Amino acid sequence: MHGATTHPFSDAALEREAHTLVSTEEASALLERFSTLVRESGSADERTSAEYIVSRLRALGIPVTVHEPELFLSIPKRSQLTIATGNATRQIESRPPAFSLSTGDGSVTGEVVHVPSTFAGGTASLFDLPAAAEASGGRDPVAGRIVLTEGFSMPGPVRAFEQRGAIAQIYVHPGPRIHEGICTTIWGAPDADSIGRKPRTPIVCISRPDGERLAADAAAGIRATIRTELDEGWMRCLLPVVEIRGRHDPEEFLLVHGHYDSWYEGIGDNATGNAALLELARVLHGLAPRLNRSVRIAWWPGHSTGRYAGSTWYADHFADEIDERCVAHLNIDSPGCAGATAYEEVMWMAEAGDLCARAITDAAGVPAHGMRPLRAGDYSFNQIGPTAFYMLLSNIPQAERARRGYYAVGGCGGNVAWHTPQDLLDVADLGVLRTDVQVYLTTILRTVNAPVYPFDYGAAIGEIAAAVRRYDAAAAGAVDLQPVVGDLEALRGEYDAWRASAEARVLAGNDAERRRVNATLRRLARLLVPLNYARGERFDHDPAIKFGPVPRLEAAARLAAAPADVKPFIVTGLVRERNKVRAILRSARRELLS
Ligand SMILES: [Zn+2]
């Protein structure tokens, strides 16, 4: 493996001690309390749950700052779906996702067109744009009709069908339950530019049995009437943040975070995560004298009904210190679920792969397999640029989920109670939660105490280079991306040489040398993370749709299939993006000269 100069750092005695300090007492009490609260953002119960977290922190003697942002949220209330076949009408149980158009007392009526699609095969493909959502040319049968299609009402297909002229959309969920969700592509609060992307049509979700019957009826011609009711607007929410100050480099902080709002009681998603954050605060507060850098712990509101509105608000309002001083961020969503003993689909950025895989194996005693973080969860910081790891963590083993007939969901350790009223206490397991907290602690201690940040940016450069080579081959001479490949090869060599000498300098040097070296790594991340994960400007928020690596050049992959009259426009854009990418890589190489 490359990056042989990156020495794994661990302090076995400190880690052992930290593991023995982990208790499930606070976690157990929090889960009990949260099982009585429906923590919908903007609600009284959500405020009560934040106050509970704050009161426990204060009781433990941990200082906490409570922000009170106004977040733009959309709370689904109810929907009505009426089907008319000939003279007969019937009602089908349905739920609107957050940010569907609210018809209020009005309604939308139209002919139903079934656009068959497939359910996501796994967590990794939940955000994929189904082929069914893409227009095929000619007269579009979707235009002016109500689309009936399979899958969750994800932002990609909802936007694609709306752009094709669908007047409403019905999503058939993969099982007998209807899961709550959110369908806007707008990440966090809209600005004057992005507000135009808010869905303009009503969207509802139905169960699979109802969906199958409806699809059969649709073949013979049916009409539907859809009515939706949602509360949309700016709502005040609490946002607690704890900072545990490190001893030697307290200005540098690792951001550890997760959402505390939920659908229904949301025990597996994400009361278990809130309990983990509270326990981490308790243990790390006790260990503060032995932390080199600081750990900042945040509980977000507005995740479920504001498309990560809380973490986005924090990214917007604390952008300067995140840019200057944030070491990395670690997201905690849906740990500690019953039966979740496997770490088969854990998200981490390439540069953190070695750190995370070792930490999981050392703390949980099982192998870990990573995947590229989806543009989801509370990854609201990619356009500032700290390295990031984890989102979901432990899962019910894939083989066991298949045995139970589970379909892919986005939390609760893979339990299909996810985003339903069944996400109750039996979804959680305190033993699994203890192991997960130990995994987090191991990862956190190694991150804040390693003399040089334990991130191998050579691996990130390698991932970027592999993507650019694929895009170059796909562009097949229409755009020459070889100069970018050359830049990346040079940067890779320069990084490996710089890292080896920087580690030696830090081992032999003083505090100032260590801070200088790590500051260079932070600035390198500020260039490479947006390059690998973002399409838009820094400090902005790209849409919540699926991106491949190096999104600026991703259009190259679509070039071959594009109509001849469209190709020159794509090529023009790719030339401009190539220029931006090369400028970013020149800046990265200059950082290593400092
Ligand atoms: Zn969640």
Side-chain angles (χ1 to χ4, degrees):
M1 139 178 207
H2 219 86
T5 54
T6 307
H7 299 290
F9 169 88
S10 74
D11 177 341
L14 177 61
E15 288 173 14
R16 254 197 316 277
E17 187 179 334
H19 288 185
T20 60
L21 289 171
V22 175
S23 149
T24 55
E25 198 179 317
E26 282 293 341
S28 170
L30 182 145
L31 295 184
E32 284 290 336
R33 184 72 187 98
F34 279 27
S35 73
T36 66
L37 300 168
V38 173
R39 303 185 314 284
E40 195 168 75
S41 252
S43 71
D45 274 8
E46 187 204 41
R47 182 164 286 256
T48 302
S49 63
E51 285 165 355
Y52 176 86
I53 292 165
V54 170
S55 75
R56 289 314 306 151
L57 289 166
R58 293 203 169 125
L60 294 163
I62 305 168
V64 51
T65 304
V66 184
H67 303 284
E68 196 169 352
E70 254 195 323
L71 305 178
F72 192 70
L73 307 173
S74 161
I75 317 288
K77 293 295 173 194
R78 57 190 66 81
S79 58
Q80 200 178 62
L81 170 60
T82 309
I83 303 298
T85 318
N87 289 331
T89 63
R90 62 189 173 99
Q91 304 259 327
I92 291 178
E93 190 195 348
S94 67
R95 287 288 297 159
F99 283 104
S100 153
L101 174 82
S102 185
T103 65
D105 291 337
S107 63
V108 171
T109 296
E111 197 185 328
V112 176
V113 55
H114 183 212
V115 183
S117 186
T118 49
F119 300 113
T123 314
S125 53
L126 278 178
F127 277 80
D128 286 10
L129 183 66
E134 300 197 57
S136 50
R139 204 190 144 274
D140 194 335
V142 160
R145 294 202 172 95
I146 295 176
V147 166
L148 170 71
T149 193
E150 290 76 16
F152 294 123
S153 56
M154 294 309 230
V158 166
R159 175 131 181 95
F161 282 125
E162 197 169 86
Q163 283 179 320
R164 287 170 59 185
I167 57 170
Q169 302 178 39
I170 305 167
Y171 283 82
V172 181
H173 281 192
R177 298 162 170 163
I178 304 175
H179 302 262
E180 301 289 333
I182 179 165
C183 70
T184 182
T185 62
I186 304 170
W187 193 284
D191 60 25
D193 291 327
S194 63
I195 187 73
R197 284 194 275 114
K198 198 160 73 69
R200 295 157 199 250
T201 54
I203 316 292
V204 293
C205 301
I206 64 176
S207 74
R208 184 165 187 169
D210 284 339
E212 283 172 351
R213 186 173 157 204
L214 199 53
D217 292 350
I222 50 172
R223 293 175 71 76
T225 297
I226 296 179
R227 199 173 274 231
T228 51
E229 193 185 326
L230 300 93
D231 279 348
E232 185 182 293
W234 296 89
M235 302 177 208
R236 281 203 173 279
C237 300
L238 301 181
L239 192 162
V241 180
V242 159
E243 178 139 322
I244 294 155
R245 300 282 287 177
R247 229 179 114 184
H248 299 294
D249 300 318
E251 298 305 307
E252 300 172 22
F253 67 92
L254 171 68
L255 178 62
V256 179
H257 58 100
H259 67 92
Y260 76 89
D261 69 302
S262 71
W263 292 110
Y264 306 104
E265 288 81 358
I267 294 303
D269 184 3
N270 186 30
T272 51
N274 304 145
L277 289 164
L278 181 58
E279 186 59 12
L280 289 170
R282 192 187 71 79
V283 172
L284 292 168
H285 179 69
L287 294 174
R290 292 156 75 186
L291 306 180
N292 288 351
R293 305 183 183 94
S294 299
V295 180
R296 194 177 286 192
I297 301 176
W299 287 262
W300 311 128
H303 165 102
S304 310
T305 51
R307 178 67 79 205
Y308 325 126
S311 55
T312 304
W313 178 87
Y314 197 79
D316 291 343
H317 291 263
F318 293 85
D320 297 325
E321 57 197 74
I322 295 167
D323 185 27
E324 283 292 311
R325 303 194 273 109
C326 183
V327 175
H329 72 91
L330 185 164
N331 178 240
I332 296 187
D333 203 331
S334 296
C337 289
T341 53
Y343 297 78
E344 297 166 321
E345 302 160 283
V346 186
M347 292 181 206
W348 56 58
M349 290 187 180
E351 60 269 32
D354 192 49
L355 166 76
C356 295
R358 284 175 195 268
I360 291 169
T361 300
D362 291 351
V366 295
H369 293 283
M371 57 188 262
R372 197 182 143 82
L374 293 176
R375 178 140 183 76
D378 279 292
Y379 270 50
S380 302
F381 310 96
N382 284 353
Q383 278 158 277
I384 301 179
T387 284
F389 30 98
Y390 302 153
M391 186 183 298
L392 307 179
L393 186 65
S394 56
N395 266 332
I396 299 166
Q398 276 166 342
E400 172 61 15
R401 278 183 277 154
R403 200 188 62 78
R404 294 186 198 177
Y406 281 3
Y407 43 86
V409 293
C412 288
N415 190 317
V416 292
W418 176 70
H419 289 192
T420 74
Q422 283 78 41
D423 186 4
L424 297 168
L425 282 172
D426 63 331
V427 173
D429 182 306
L430 290 172
V432 176
L433 186 58
R434 177 199 295 272
T435 303
D436 283 341
V437 171
Q438 290 168 336
V439 167
Y440 294 132
L441 273 173
T442 307
T443 315
I444 291 168
L445 290 171
R446 291 177 188 183
T447 302
V448 300
N449 281 355
V452 180
Y453 296 166
F455 309 133
D456 176 14
Y457 290 101
I461 297 163
E463 183 183 52
I464 293 167
V468 174
R469 281 195 195 94
R470 281 198 306 278
Y471 296 147
D472 185 54
V479 185
D480 182 11
L481 298 178
Q482 276 305 316
V484 182
V485 173
D487 294 342
L488 285 159
E489 281 167 357
L491 176 62
R492 178 71 187 257
E494 286 157 11
Y495 173 78
D496 286 344
W498 175 89
R499 177 93 195 191
S501 100
E503 293 203 359
R505 284 203 309 277
V506 167
L507 283 181
N510 54 19
D511 287 356
E513 186 62 34
R514 181 183 66 245
R515 287 178 196 139
R516 230 182 344 260
V517 161
N518 287 318
T520 300
L521 286 173
R522 289 199 300 280
R523 288 194 303 271
L524 193 60
R526 301 308 178 261
L527 295 163
L528 295 178
V529 171
L531 174 60
N532 200 354
Y533 285 90
R535 199 169 67 186
E537 275 185 77
R538 288 193 66 214
F539 302 104
D540 216 331
H541 299 279
D542 280 332
I545 52 175
K546 180 149 183 172
F547 290 162
V550 199
R552 290 184 177 283
L553 300 178
E554 204 178 356
R558 295 198 310 271
L559 202 53
D565 58 333
V566 174
K567 269 185 193 169
F569 301 117
I570 297 179
V571 168
T572 301
L574 278 168
V575 169
R576 291 174 188 160
E577 294 303 323
R578 178 185 65 194
N579 295 338
K580 294 178 201 172
V581 168
R582 293 203 73 189
I584 292 168
L585 293 173
R586 281 196 296 275
S587 299
R589 293 178 67 184
R590 271 195 291 271
E591 288 298 343
L592 300 178
L593 299 175
S594 64

